[in-house]
Amino acid sequence: VLDAGGVLQEMKEEVARAQYPAFFRDAARLEGEAVELWVYATQAVPGLLQTEEYMRAVFGMWRPLLDEETLEQRVAARLARQHVFERRPAPLLSFVIDEAVVRRPLGGLSVMRGQLEQLMLLGAYRNVEIQIMPLDREDNAGVDGPFTLLYRPGGDQVAYLETQGRSTMVSDRREVQGIASRYGIIRAQALTPRESLAFVEKLLGEV
């Protein structure tokens, strides 16, 4: 309407990304366009799967403390990321979560119960696979820590690594292939999606 040549649309996306911490903005952009997303989580439930109450608990634990305005901004931004579940065509989403994560009652038992119910709900989606890596596994190819793999529409793969407020975007093909191979082994070592949902349902009965 304003004959801006797409500039306003681009600026809208830039403003939306400004909600995220600086270290996550590139990952947020790639996540929004990815056709496949693979996540290995070891500390908390992946952001895309979190309930609002769980988000607030996680952000409330950050040190140094986040001020209220920043906390609300981070929650709103993380909730906005969950629009990925409404995208068409739907991206393929795979999550492997360490058992310790789903046993760690961040925010209290009530919050964790809601989070487990959310995992059951999202795990039933046809394009979503959630797997649990049991604590009693003698082999775990993910001992180096969490990571995310993103597949772009053109077929390119990018890995995203994050720790202590710092992030690394990995695009070197050989290195990314190594991470992808590692994820394949992790998936094979974890419970199957069906077994994992049964495991989560059992946990629900305990909280």
Side-chain angles (χ1 to χ4, degrees), residues 6-171:
V7 172
L8 294 179
Q9 179 64 32
E10 182 64 27
M11 289 305 296
K12 176 184 176 183
E13 294 173 1
E14 286 296 326
V15 170
R17 282 196 289 273
Q19 302 177 90
Y20 303 111
F23 65 83
F24 185 70
R25 287 173 192 163
D26 286 341
R29 176 179 56 81
L30 291 173
E31 183 181 85
E33 62 186 36
V35 295
E36 289 190 42
L37 188 71
W38 300 353
V39 180
Y40 178 52
T42 62
Q43 300 301 319
V45 172
L48 288 177
L49 303 177
Q50 291 179 6
T51 63
E52 182 174 344
E53 294 75 18
Y54 189 92
M55 293 176 195
R56 292 184 182 281
V58 170
F59 287 130
M61 295 173 195
W62 279 30
R63 297 295 185 273
L65 287 170
L66 299 176
D67 60 62
E68 287 302 315
E69 182 180 355
T70 301
L71 189 150
E72 292 300 324
Q73 185 182 59
R74 297 285 173 84
V75 169
R78 184 161 289 183
L79 285 171
R81 288 172 54 203
Q82 296 182 352
H83 290 158
V84 68
F85 295 107
E86 302 168 9
R87 277 175 45 196
R88 295 296 180 270
L92 298 176
L93 306 173
S94 170
F95 304 88
V96 179
I97 305 171
D98 269 10
E99 179 184 339
V101 171
V102 293
R103 287 192 177 278
R104 187 176 295 129
L106 299 183
L109 292 180
S110 176
V111 170
M112 198 62 209
R113 181 173 181 81
Q115 182 59 69
L116 294 175
E117 291 172 346
Q118 174 95 324
L119 293 180
M120 293 288 296
L121 175 67
L122 296 176
Y125 286 20
R126 291 176 58 209
N127 64 314
V128 178
E129 290 191 343
I130 296 174
Q131 295 178 251
I132 302 298
M133 175 66 82
L135 288 171
D136 63 3
R137 286 291 193 261
E138 295 184 1
D139 296 304
N140 183 341
V143 291
D144 279 351
F147 58 84
T148 298
L149 277 161
L150 305 106
Y151 287 70
R152 305 175 71 179
D156 293 338
Q157 297 172 283
V158 179
Y160 174 74
L161 315 175
E162 179 187 313
T163 181
Q164 297 296 325
R166 284 171 169 70
S167 64
T168 302
M169 199 71 73
V170 182
S171 57

Side-chain angles (χ1 to χ4, degrees), residues 168-180:
T168 302
M169 199 71 73
V170 182
S171 57
D172 178 77
R173 181 168 297 181
R174 180 174 297 180
E175 191 171 355
V176 174
Q177 284 178 342
I179 295 173

